[in-house]
Amino acid sequence: MDIAKKIITKLPLEELWNEKGTLNARRVSSCLNAADVIEMLKVGTTFVVADVGRPPYWIDPSHRFEFWKTEVKPRLADFDQAFLDQYPGGYCYFASKWQLADELALIVVERHH
């Protein structure tokens, strides 16, 4: 399969990839809360957005704080269950920590709508 055409078909995400191919990465914790995300952002961690029907979307590290404040923070769900009408725009995110084999961790936010 052409990796450029690969899309997410279901959540929760089972593997992570970018334009170069599948990454050696694994989910190490689920259901991050706002405090967890803030601590990870302070050490340079950035976001990857997982949305069914699209490829993973990697947030530029220089935009991670803006993305957090404007997009994720008001829509971060703390539990395994969320009522979408409680969030701006009718969608929310569940955040998890993923560890790459040889790099910093990533915050993967799975978009539910």
Side-chain angles (χ1 to χ4, degrees):
M1 168 182 254
D2 181 1
I3 198 73
K5 295 180 181 177
K6 186 174 180 177
I7 62 169
I8 297 166
T9 58
K10 67 178 181 170
L11 297 175
L13 199 61
E14 295 177 353
E15 67 178 355
L16 194 56
W17 65 94
N18 61 19
E19 69 281 349
K20 296 177 185 174
T22 302
L23 302 173
N24 184 6
R26 64 184 176 85
R27 182 188 306 258
V28 294
S29 65
S30 297
C31 294
L32 299 178
N33 62 33
D36 298 328
V37 172
I38 291 167
E39 286 304 311
M40 291 178 70
L41 291 174
K42 287 179 182 177
V43 298
T45 307
T46 193
F47 292 97
V48 179
V49 180
D51 192 2
V52 172
R54 299 174 181 260
Y57 179 70
W58 295 72
I59 302 301
D60 184 302
S62 66
H63 296 118
R64 71 186 188 275
F65 290 108
E66 179 182 347
F67 182 73
W68 162 248
K69 290 177 190 173
T70 62
E71 180 64 20
V72 178
K73 185 178 179 183
R75 296 176 181 91
L76 183 63
D78 285 331
F79 305 101
D80 292 335
Q81 181 176 323
F83 297 98
L84 297 178
D85 60 352
Q86 295 177 341
Y87 298 95
Y91 64 96
C92 69
Y93 294 103
F94 290 100
S96 60
K97 179 180 179 179
W98 284 61
Q99 186 66 51
L100 295 172
D102 57 352
E103 296 181 39
L104 287 173
L106 295 168
I107 303 165
V108 175
V109 289
E110 297 176 346
R111 187 172 191 253
H112 291 263
H113 47 93

